[in-house]
Amino acid sequence: MTDSLIDLRSDTVTRPTPAMLEAMFRAPVGDDVYDEDPTVRALEQEAAARFGLEAGLFCPSGTMTNQIAIKAHTEPLSEVICEQNSHIYLWEVGGIAFHSGASVALLPGRQGRLTAAQVETAIRPVNIHYPTTSLISLENTHNRGGGSCYDLADIAAIAEVAQRHSIPLHLDGARIFNALVATSQDAAEYGRLFDTISVCLSKGLGAPVGSVLLGSKQFIQKTKRIRKVMGGGMRQAGYLAAAGLYALENNVDRLADDHRRARQLGSTLAAQPYVAEVLPVETNLVIFRLQDTLPAEQFLSHLEQQGIKASSFGPQMIRFVTHLDVDDAKISR
């Protein structure tokens, strides 16, 4: 990626900064499969502490942390409740069926957000014809919902339903720090509401790779075996974990800059005659629908000719994502 390119496809395209690379270069390491990598341990402990949970498990990707959590929470003939456009359902290659042999109950959300009433209605009664509801999963921020954020009170209401029915509650928190910065919510409150949380380090936080699954010590110990069978046991992983530690320590507060730039893009797009609709911009995702008179492929081709990359996000839908490699000058251009 050249410095002149404006890559708005995703916040996963960021490159480590010189300071992050220096932290990686200096990281003390060991063999993580033997639990001997001090930097991995430090990252797992730091991530867990921020959310008030006991332990963490460092993995290569958010897909792996989500799928490990689902596998550990469920069993064949059980069911996961989630929003119909959830990442765990749409973008993880059918992993719930492949890894866990579980069914999925899909609920229509409002910009990806579910209500406690919807969740309670979807919980299966005891009946030999039905799968057993074994997990409720939320996504915050919600990708297909345009980076939308849950109100904490709405999460608490869903958590109450989950606890009353003794069903674990999982959070796909791929962009959870975007939500925390945008809403000024407390990360530790999430640890009180969710049984498990997947936190991605390679999106807005700018690490080159990695996610952390958070939960109780007992649960995380169980998930280590699942990570191993999925091929996720890494050796001197501290070099990667050091990037994640640097990201947590240095790149959280600056997410507000990405949000500001996304709002600037959204307001500018809303004023263009070729744009039919812009979803509300809450964080760093800008999703908009083009007028039918401008084919999406033509629009993306025009952007590429100008040195700008973006993503198609459905019929006539385009997604822009702001991140630390797109500064004010690039947004203005």
Side-chain angles (χ1 to χ4, degrees):
M1 184 166 64
T2 65
D3 289 337
S4 62
L5 176 68
I6 302 175
D7 196 337
L8 298 172
R9 289 174 299 170
S10 177
D11 44 8
T12 61
V13 302
T14 58
R15 297 160 296 175
T17 61
M20 182 180 283
L21 288 170
E22 181 65 19
M24 296 168 70
F25 180 76
R26 294 183 177 277
V29 298
D31 190 319
D32 185 49
V33 175
Y34 288 117
D35 288 324
E36 292 176 354
D37 192 302
T39 308
V40 172
R41 296 287 83 73
L43 170 63
E44 292 170 340
Q45 291 164 9
E46 172 64 21
R50 286 182 178 236
F51 288 87
L53 289 168
E54 292 179 340
L57 184 72
F58 183 48
C59 295
S61 71
T63 294
M64 182 176 278
T65 48
N66 279 330
Q67 292 301 319
I68 287 174
I70 294 166
K71 176 71 174 174
H73 280 306
T74 66
E75 59 186 19
L77 306 183
S78 66
E79 188 166 67
V80 179
I81 294 174
C82 65
E83 202 274 335
Q84 63 186 7
N85 291 311
S86 292
H87 194 279
I88 63 167
Y89 177 73
L90 281 186
W91 303 107
E92 298 186 8
V93 208
I96 296 174
F98 184 79
H99 295 295
S100 301
S103 179
V104 184
L106 299 175
L107 305 180
R110 183 174 176 269
Q111 288 179 240
R113 295 174 298 233
L114 300 177
T115 67
Q118 282 181 291
V119 170
E120 184 141 36
T121 301
I123 295 172
R124 298 281 193 173
V126 176
N127 187 312
I128 63 167
H129 300 89
Y130 297 152
T132 303
T133 303
S134 56
L135 181 65
I136 301 163
S137 180
L138 306 182
E139 183 178 327
N140 197 27
T141 67
H142 197 285
N143 183 11
R144 298 286 297 190
S148 59
C149 305
Y150 271 94
D151 288 335
L152 199 60
D154 293 336
I155 297 176
I158 294 172
E160 189 278 326
V161 170
Q163 292 162 10
R164 182 155 37 84
H165 289 271
S166 299
I167 299 169
L169 182 63
H170 173 69
L171 174 65
D172 176 0
R175 295 183 176 90
I176 184 57
F177 285 103
N178 291 90
L180 293 173
V181 168
T183 61
S184 299
Q185 293 168 352
D186 179 13
E189 188 64 30
Y190 278 74
R192 288 188 281 271
L193 296 173
F194 288 94
D195 296 279
T196 51
I197 299 175
S198 169
V199 175
C200 190
L201 305 167
S202 65
K203 292 187 171 68
L205 298 189
V209 83
S211 290
V212 184
L213 177 61
L214 308 176
S216 68
K217 288 181 179 178
Q218 182 179 9
F219 185 87
I220 293 301
Q221 189 60 39
K222 177 181 180 179
T223 61
K224 285 185 178 181
R225 299 181 76 243
I226 302 174
R227 181 184 67 174
K228 181 65 177 174
V229 78
M230 289 185 179
M234 298 180 285
R235 303 299 179 174
Q236 288 72 42
Y239 295 116
L240 298 175
L245 265 176
Y246 181 91
L248 286 176
E249 293 165 358
N250 296 276
N251 289 349
V252 173
D253 290 342
R254 63 148 304 281
L255 292 171
D257 294 331
D258 296 341
H259 301 169
R260 172 177 55 79
R261 291 164 182 150
R263 288 192 297 271
Q264 184 180 349
L265 282 174
S267 61
T268 302
L269 284 163
Q272 305 311 308
Y274 56 83
V275 174
E277 177 190 16
V278 180
L279 294 186
V281 180
E282 297 184 44
T283 51
N284 69 322
L285 306 187
V286 185
I287 297 178
F288 57 99
R289 180 167 57 86
L290 298 170
Q291 298 284 4
D292 291 339
T293 52
L294 175 59
E297 296 79 7
Q298 180 181 331
F299 179 72
L300 290 171
S301 175
H302 174 73
L303 288 182
E304 191 141 11
Q305 292 169 20
Q306 310 304 316
I308 301 166
K309 289 189 175 184
S311 295
S312 174
F313 221 55
Q316 289 298 97
M317 301 296 288
I318 304 293
R319 187 184 76 166
F320 287 169
V321 186
T322 55
H323 51 79
L324 59 83
D325 280 359
V326 180
D327 58 16
D328 287 332
K330 289 187 175 181
I331 293 294
S332 295
R333 191 181 117 200

